[in-house]
Amino acid sequence: MYKSVKELIHKSTLKYAQMPAFSLKTGFRTKTYTYKEVYSYITKFSSFFETNNIKRGEKIVILSPNRPEYAVTIMGAMIAGVTIVPIDYRTNHETILKFIKLTNPKAIFASLFYKELFHGVHEKLFLFEELLAEVEKSEPKYVDQPPHDHLAAILFTSGTTGEPKGTMITYENIVASINNIRTVFILPPQTRLLSILPLSHALEMFGGLMTSFSYGSHIHYLERINSITIIQALRRYHIQGMAVVPQMLRLLLQNIERHIKVEKKEEVWKKSHSIAPYLPMFLRKQLFRPVHDSLGGSFSFFACGSAPLDVKIAEEWMRMGVEIVEGYGASETTGFISTNTLQHKKIGTVGRILQGIEYKKSETGELYVKGKNVVSGYFDNPEKTKEAFPDGWFNTGDIVQFDSSGYIKIVGRDKFKIVLPDGKKVYPEDVEKKLNNNPLVADSTVFGLDLGEGEIVHAEIITSNPHKLTQVVDEVNKTLNPHEQILDYGRWLHDDFPRTKTLKVDREAVRTEVKERKSGIKVTEDHERENNDKVLRILSTVSGKKHVSMHGNATLATDLKLDSLKRIELLALIEEEMGVSVDELKITSQTTISDLRTLIEHGKPTVVDDKIRIPQWQFTRTTDNMRVALQDVVAFPLLNSWIKVNLKNPENLKKIKTPQLFIFNHVGVYDVVTSILRILPREIRKKTAIAATNLIWQESDIKGIMAGLFANCIPFVRAEEHEAMRGNFERVGQVLDNGYNIAISPEGNITHTGKLLPFHTGAGYIAIEMGVPVTPFKMNGYYELWPEEAKRTSQLFWPKKPGSVEVIVGEPITFPPSTSYEEATEILRKTMLDLS
Amino acid sequence: MPVKIGVDITTKTRFEKSLENGGNAFINHLFTPQELRQNTKDQLASIFCLKEAVIKALELPHNSWLKINTNRQSNGKVVCSFIDKDTATKISSLDTSISHEGEIIISVAAIILEEKN
């Protein structure tokens, strides 16, 4: 049990000091901070705030996607006693300004991307990209923990109800909530987690960040989040668990099923699923080995919350040996109310109420909770506070049922709130307000309608101008947030809506009537199918047109008026929501909606370079030692009798700081192995990999293993295609992250004439994006030594005559990140040409 | 000396709307890591506009976004270059210009191609 936030942070950083705490995938590289480094920043925040005239009790607003700097700022502010106001980075401009006006922060902390938003809004802006370098300069300062009732954070509820509700979270709330969840949710140290839910949400801030931090987890953040980057991260970092919204479970599953279909393994898939329920978890993992491999090989659980979870999907994951842990909570309870655990769980429930939380049910079945984790109210909003917190209890507004063992089933979430499949919430009142502002609308009622794929926003409108209904909805949609868009609507044919005793609209009665209407008429079958149709929904979002007006032969360009901007938006949405990549080139001015469907049907699952991966075994200490021994004892003595290597500028070898890039003039298949490796000092050679053509691995497994064993080769695809290039860069970044140098040929091909070929601009791209120095190596005399045919085939290992090769080592070149790719390429080529 | 010219107009709100809808996948389709590091949201709208002008001028296939890289120099000038060798070798000289007026961004690309041998 922790007594304070300070104790939690202090103890974890002491206990796990040398272990990695946070990593950020930035470009192709990974930046990692250990617990000790994190602590060092945290202790400097107090003086940093002082220097910038931000006092204890004053507020700062944070707006950024998750990143280590965000996490460190949260904890730094908590130690210093500065109140944080994190805002979901997906919030619209208007609402952000509203939050700022309401809380009157002393400073804003944001990522560069959002800089413009604050022009003329706030003078004091700190950018996360530069923040830690600034904090670093401050002196460490150890301050007392603020009192228990001190305000630690204000979290705004994600909806944009007329008045924003800012939950006021104190130090006592945080400590209580983390202590509560720690009694049932336990992680071994250094569990590798991927954090994709925004840190501005209670679940991620207090669970994903602080609880995991208390267990010494290694938390991974991504610069950009989508289905591709998530799957790549699962693989690259061998992630073990992540917190998700239910929609992500569906998306990942669809992606896997698409693979199964492409590989024509549906039969095996079905069979495996029918056997799995009878097997224990570890055998299920074996049965679905390929699935687990595609998730990085170590994946074991999803923590899931914030929207209703589809039982079918949860069960499918469980059959594949992946645990699903569903929990339930709110900002008002500092994140948690109840949860399932790995040991005790019931699918379809949100688990049992946590220790330390009192609860009761109202007559209508609504759940009320009380405890130290329950906040005292909303910021500057006594009215709403009174409404939601009667007599010190928090009214969750959710209707629940308990089973005999105390597991909670949520029957209805908040009476009116619409919860979209991705967890985003829409408050019908907000949409109605905008609708009713339109002069053509007499009255309207908005609610969530589930047509088979989760709730969508539906509006019933009373109007005397039915022919203008589409126009009205289009106009109103323009003023709504993207997630609030009215996707389905109808004309209410009565004079008024059914009303309750207190004369409020009876939404449930309206919904029931609409459902009956939709199932009653025969044509609606088609209509409903269309409603369910994701492609149409996406097209409707992108084009702003109502989807019933779209026919299969409508063209994207002329009929839906999709220009280049909208076309990319469309492809992006198809990628994000359906997990399919469609080639942009295939969409022409003639493409129709039916064509698009076919393209999606035949599209690739959105995963880059699925087959080509770095052989992990090559990057272990054992392999390193074995490889160097094989080189020293077998390969090099053999080579010595045929090729002598003369080293020029040996002093430059001392300037190499592993890991970095090596570039060389490509004069033959075995040029690096027979010449450059031999002049590298053993310690550098041990930590050096070579980018070699992926054809080696395609030709035969043995060849791949030999190339890996003797020379630490990794597969590199020779291609101009951007996707393939990106795969190459990812692998290079991974090798550097592992702490190895990597040798790359910037020409891409072996020279035909002995002269240096033009460089790929990709060379400059790699040099800049990898953020490491580049050391050039030039080989003279090698080209002349080998027979012509041997230069291109790996079959001929021996030179035509004994001789000698001169290897000239250049000085490592460091590029400022602002150098353009083209410029960097030119500098590299010129250096190579001038090397003597 | 064949000369090619391309012009494009983009509005900031429309770009922002697409960005909101398309999210990260949208960004990844259009911009290189260097561009994402150097530019704010509005600046990215200008870069999009500029790339569109270059694509028009060279009549490149419309999935060429990531083959073009722009680099923002310390004086604010945006310099454009090509990542793929094929396109880069076709070009003798290239200059671009971007201008704003409120919502509207306009960009022009003027390109001189290498003489065909």
Side-chain angles (χ1 to χ4, degrees):
Chain A
M1 285 289 217
Y2 293 114
K3 288 189 193 70
S4 66
V5 173
K6 192 177 168 183
E7 186 195 350
L8 181 155
I9 294 173
H10 194 74
K11 276 195 173 161
S12 325
T13 43
L14 268 181
K15 195 167 171 189
Y16 307 108
Q18 303 302 334
M19 300 176 181
F22 304 127
S23 285
L24 174 69
K25 170 89 190 293
T26 147
F28 303 104
R29 297 295 311 276
T30 314
K31 170 98 183 99
T32 298
Y33 300 85
T34 63
Y35 275 82
K36 200 176 165 186
E37 285 166 329
V38 168
Y39 190 62
S40 145
Y41 286 120
I42 291 176
T43 54
K44 288 175 179 172
F45 259 97
S46 295
S47 11
F48 169 79
F49 284 134
E50 256 172 40
T51 318
N52 290 291
N53 200 23
I54 303 166
K55 298 188 191 72
R56 183 171 273 206
E58 290 180 329
K59 300 178 197 71
I60 56 167
V61 155
I62 308 178
L63 183 81
S64 164
N66 297 1
R67 50 190 296 151
E69 294 86 347
Y70 193 155
V72 173
T73 304
I74 290 176
M75 291 193 281
M78 282 186 185
I79 292 288
V82 168
T83 305
I84 49 170
V85 185
I87 300 176
D88 188 334
Y89 63 94
R90 299 166 301 188
T91 311
N92 71 7
H93 194 165
E94 192 191 339
T95 314
I96 292 172
L97 296 184
K98 212 180 325 181
F99 290 163
I100 291 176
K101 202 174 163 204
L102 190 76
T103 54
N104 189 26
K106 214 47 196 294
I108 311 259
F109 289 69
S111 43
L112 171 68
F113 192 75
Y114 299 97
K115 191 176 168 185
E116 273 136 3
L117 222 79
F118 304 105
H119 275 325
V121 174
H122 210 290
E123 286 171 359
K124 212 176 244 173
L125 174 68
F126 295 97
L127 297 178
F128 277 139
E129 285 81 354
E130 302 154 5
L131 180 69
L132 291 187
E134 276 300 307
V135 173
E136 181 83 76
K137 291 182 206 150
S138 308
E139 288 296 315
K141 192 175 173 190
Y142 301 90
V143 295
D144 291 336
Q145 156 97 17
H148 262 2
D149 59 352
H150 191 82
L151 192 56
I154 300 175
L155 300 192
F156 281 99
T157 42
S158 53
T160 51
T161 36
E163 299 165 72
K165 286 190 292 181
T167 311
M168 295 194 292
I169 295 175
T170 64
Y171 283 73
E172 182 177 41
N173 296 147
I174 296 173
V175 175
S177 191
I178 293 173
N179 281 334
N180 289 349
I181 191 79
R182 276 175 57 98
T183 55
V184 291
F185 194 75
I186 297 159
L187 290 174
Q190 288 291 291
T191 303
R192 296 177 296 276
L193 303 173
L194 182 64
S195 161
I196 57 164
L197 301 181
L199 274 168
S200 52
H201 288 193
L203 178 69
E204 192 58 33
M205 185 183 293
F206 304 113
L209 171 62
M210 298 191 68
T211 306
S212 310
F213 193 83
S214 76
Y215 284 126
S217 306
H218 182 181
I219 305 169
H220 290 265
Y221 295 113
L222 299 173
E223 226 170 18
R224 271 172 287 287
I225 296 168
N226 61 41
S227 50
I228 304 177
T229 57
I230 289 173
I231 290 186
Q232 278 180 338
L234 293 180
R235 289 178 188 169
R236 179 152 168 180
Y237 305 114
H238 308 286
I239 298 295
Q240 294 165 292
M242 67 195 277
V244 292
V245 291
Q247 194 194 26
M248 184 56 69
L249 292 179
R250 189 191 294 269
L251 201 64
L252 286 173
L253 194 63
Q254 279 172 353
N255 206 305
I256 293 170
E257 283 173 345
R258 197 168 279 272
H259 271 284
I260 302 294
K261 211 171 150 191
V262 170
E263 288 170 17
K264 300 202 167 32
K265 289 190 179 147
E266 287 116 316
E267 279 304 308
V268 188
W269 176 254
K270 266 189 206 148
K271 255 188 207 138
S272 304
H273 269 284
S274 60
I275 307 167
Y278 307 101
L279 300 175
M281 249 5 199
F282 74 95
L283 281 181
R284 293 185 194 181
K285 276 195 174 140
Q286 290 306 320
L287 188 62
F288 288 93
R289 198 70 251 167
V291 172
H292 283 270
D293 282 346
S294 75
L295 298 175
S298 309
F299 199 79
S300 78
F301 72 91
F302 286 111
C304 190
S306 84
L309 169 68
D310 187 335
V311 175
K312 283 196 307 285
I313 287 179
E315 281 172 347
E316 197 161 346
W317 279 105
M318 300 276 290
R319 283 198 297 271
M320 294 192 289
V322 174
E323 298 276 10
I324 307 278
V325 183
E326 195 182 6
Y328 165 61
S331 318
E332 289 87 345
T333 62
T334 322
F336 317 105
I337 293 174
S338 72
T339 188
N340 285 287
T341 67
L342 289 176
Q343 294 76 28
H344 305 283
K345 62 174 174 296
K346 273 187 194 171
I347 291 285
T349 77
V350 292
R352 288 186 283 202
I353 300 261
L354 295 172
Q355 268 179 39
I357 301 177
E358 277 181 73
Y359 61 95
K360 66 177 185 187
K361 255 169 78 171
S362 72
E363 280 171 17
T364 48
E366 279 170 322
L367 180 71
Y368 285 68
V369 291
K370 196 181 198 175
K372 282 186 176 168
N373 65 316
V374 175
V375 306
S376 58
Y378 301 116
F379 181 72
D380 204 18
N381 198 337
E383 205 177 297
K384 292 267 175 202
T385 302
K386 217 170 152 189
E387 234 176 81
F389 298 89
D391 308 321
W393 288 87
F394 167 57
N395 176 5
T396 62
D398 291 326
I399 298 163
V400 300
Q401 281 168 358
F402 287 88
D403 75 2
S404 54
S405 335
Y407 287 84
I408 303 175
K409 200 168 189 175
I410 294 176
V411 186
R413 299 228 175 202
D414 241 14
K415 258 187 190 155
F416 310 130
K417 186 167 67 187
I418 304 167
V419 182
L420 302 176
D422 62 359
K424 289 198 186 113
K425 290 160 186 93
V426 179
Y427 289 87
E429 296 93 328
D430 291 348
V431 183
E432 284 164 11
K433 207 184 276 171
K434 297 259 166 86
L435 271 171
N436 294 347
N437 276 343
N438 192 300
L440 297 178
V441 175
D443 202 355
S444 65
T445 295
V446 171
F447 49 83
L449 198 60
D450 188 348
L451 296 167
E453 273 210 43
E455 288 197 318
I456 58 166
V457 178
H458 178 98
E460 275 303 300
I461 298 164
I462 301 178
T463 175
S464 44
N465 295 284
H467 56 285
K468 286 195 173 158
L469 208 55
T470 313
Q471 185 196 328
V472 168
V473 173
D474 281 349
E475 272 170 26
V476 171
N477 270 341
K478 277 184 200 142
T479 67
L480 293 168
N481 281 315
H483 67 284
E484 293 175 327
Q485 299 288 311
I486 302 164
L487 292 182
D488 196 61
Y489 59 83
R491 182 182 173 212
W492 189 255
L493 293 167
H494 316 280
D495 289 335
D496 195 2
F497 293 112
R499 296 195 182 257
T500 62
K501 276 181 209 148
T502 50
L503 295 181
K504 286 180 185 158
V505 174
D506 187 348
R507 284 169 220 267
E508 211 36 67
V510 180
R511 172 156 47 197
T512 313
E513 188 167 331
V514 169
K515 275 193 167 168
E516 276 167 13
R517 187 171 76 205
K518 282 192 175 273
S519 56
I521 313 163
K522 197 172 173 314
V523 242
T524 45
E525 263 179 41
D526 280 338
H527 182 88
E528 246 187 54
R529 199 172 46 79
E530 279 179 347
N531 275 326
N532 292 340
D533 192 318
K534 223 169 209 167
V535 178
L536 290 186
R537 254 167 70 184
I538 291 173
L539 280 169
S540 149
T541 311
V542 176
S543 66
K545 291 189 189 305
K546 174 93 174 81
H547 50 311
V548 283
S549 64
M550 296 178 195
H551 304 290
N553 46 12
T555 61
L556 302 186
T558 330
D559 296 332
L560 299 185
K561 309 222 169 357
L562 300 191
D563 56 9
S564 59
L565 196 60
K566 297 248 167 207
R567 201 169 54 223
I568 297 154
E569 186 186 324
L570 171 72
L571 297 180
L573 275 169
I574 292 172
E575 215 165 82
E576 299 260 282
E577 296 197 6
M578 307 183 72
V580 186
S581 295
V582 174
D583 186 354
E584 202 183 332
L585 266 189
K586 300 232 169 89
I587 296 189
T588 66
S589 57
Q590 311 301 322
T591 309
T592 63
I593 296 181
S594 319
D595 296 340
L596 181 66
R597 283 180 203 282
T598 319
L599 285 172
I600 292 172
E601 185 64 26
H602 296 107
K604 286 183 295 192
T606 23
V607 172
V608 187
D609 251 359
D610 192 27
K611 296 279 184 287
I612 305 164
R613 286 195 227 160
I614 290 197
Q616 282 301 318
W617 63 269
Q618 288 175 214
F619 296 87
T620 62
R621 200 175 288 174
T622 322
T623 318
D624 287 348
N625 289 328
M626 195 152 62
R627 185 174 52 244
V628 174
L630 281 171
Q631 291 169 349
D632 286 340
V633 179
V634 184
F636 294 173
L638 275 173
L639 285 166
N640 272 337
S641 57
W642 283 83
I643 317 162
K644 296 269 174 278
V645 185
N646 303 317
L647 170 63
K648 203 167 169 192
N649 305 343
E651 68 281 2
N652 285 339
L653 286 177
K654 294 202 182 78
K655 296 175 187 156
I656 294 173
K657 286 203 180 70
T658 307
Q660 56 162 254
L661 290 168
F662 298 158
I663 58 163
F664 56 92
N665 55 328
H666 206 357
V667 279
V669 176
Y670 293 110
D671 50 1
V672 181
V673 184
T674 56
S675 310
I676 295 176
L677 281 188
R678 281 167 68 200
I679 54 101
L680 290 179
R682 186 174 291 130
E683 283 317 301
I684 297 179
R685 177 154 47 97
K686 211 183 232 180
K687 293 282 172 198
T688 296
I690 303 169
T693 167
N694 62 313
L695 297 175
I696 300 178
W697 285 262
Q698 276 177 21
E699 277 171 27
S700 78
D701 286 350
I702 294 291
K703 272 193 184 162
I705 290 170
M706 294 306 269
L709 190 61
F710 273 89
N712 204 11
C713 290
I714 64 143
F716 205 78
V717 184
R718 205 175 284 162
E720 282 284 349
E721 223 182 296
H722 189 82
E723 283 300 292
M725 291 295 270
R726 199 151 69 175
N728 283 337
F729 300 158
E730 289 290 346
R731 287 188 296 277
V732 170
Q734 207 174 337
V735 168
L736 293 167
D737 283 352
N738 283 346
Y740 288 73
N741 306 305
I742 179 160
I744 297 174
S745 149
E747 298 157 280
N749 282 309
I750 297 172
T751 176
H752 289 270
T753 57
K755 289 210 179 88
L756 196 62
L757 300 173
F759 281 11
H760 274 281
T761 316
Y765 188 107
I766 289 192
I768 303 294
E769 293 309 325
M770 297 305 159
V772 290
V774 186
T775 301
F777 292 84
K778 187 180 191 173
M779 289 168 271
N780 286 332
Y782 181 102
Y783 186 80
E784 294 74 19
L785 220 55
W786 244 259
E788 185 54 37
E789 63 276 21
K791 285 173 189 130
R792 260 153 262 289
T793 161
S794 55
Q795 311 296 338
L796 290 168
F797 196 78
W798 293 108
K800 55 184 174 191
K801 57 179 185 208
S804 65
V805 177
E806 180 190 47
V807 179
I808 312 172
V809 188
E811 290 208 34
I813 309 165
T814 307
F815 292 102
S818 57
T819 321
S820 79
Y821 300 148
E822 205 179 22
E823 204 181 320
T825 311
E826 268 168 39
I827 294 172
L828 290 176
R829 188 158 193 275
K830 190 163 184 308
T831 315
M832 185 66 88
L833 283 170
D834 293 350
L835 212 58
S836 60
Chain B
M1 243 186 359
V3 177
K4 297 281 183 183
I5 288 186
V7 185
D8 188 60
I9 301 175
T10 305
T11 64
K12 284 184 193 169
T13 17
R14 281 219 27 231
F15 179 81
E16 201 161 314
K17 185 114 193 156
S18 293
L19 195 143
E20 266 177 30
N21 282 339
N24 288 310
F26 175 79
I27 286 181
N28 287 339
H29 266 278
L30 292 175
F31 304 111
T32 67
Q34 187 165 48
E35 289 165 341
L36 292 170
R37 242 194 338 263
Q38 291 180 344
N39 296 290
T40 61
K41 218 189 243 186
D42 282 0
Q43 285 170 337
L44 285 179
S46 314
I47 304 278
F48 167 79
C49 185
L50 189 152
K51 287 192 176 190
E52 181 94 304
V54 172
I55 287 175
K56 279 185 191 167
L58 286 171
E59 294 166 49
L60 293 175
H62 53 232
N63 62 349
S64 305
W65 306 102
L66 295 173
K67 288 185 181 159
I68 306 166
N69 180 53
T70 61
N71 185 42
R72 188 171 290 276
Q73 298 181 333
S74 47
N75 61 7
K77 167 90 181 157
V78 174
V79 180
C80 187
S81 64
F82 296 91
I83 290 176
D84 75 318
K85 210 153 66 169
D86 287 356
T87 317
T89 48
K90 275 184 210 149
I91 287 153
S92 159
S93 177
L94 169 146
D95 197 19
T96 55
S97 179
I98 310 175
S99 188
H100 308 253
E101 177 59 50
E103 268 295 286
I104 311 248
I105 306 166
I106 182 160
S107 74
V108 180
I111 297 165
I112 301 174
L113 298 181
E114 288 286 349
E115 290 284 7
K116 275 184 194 153
N117 296 323

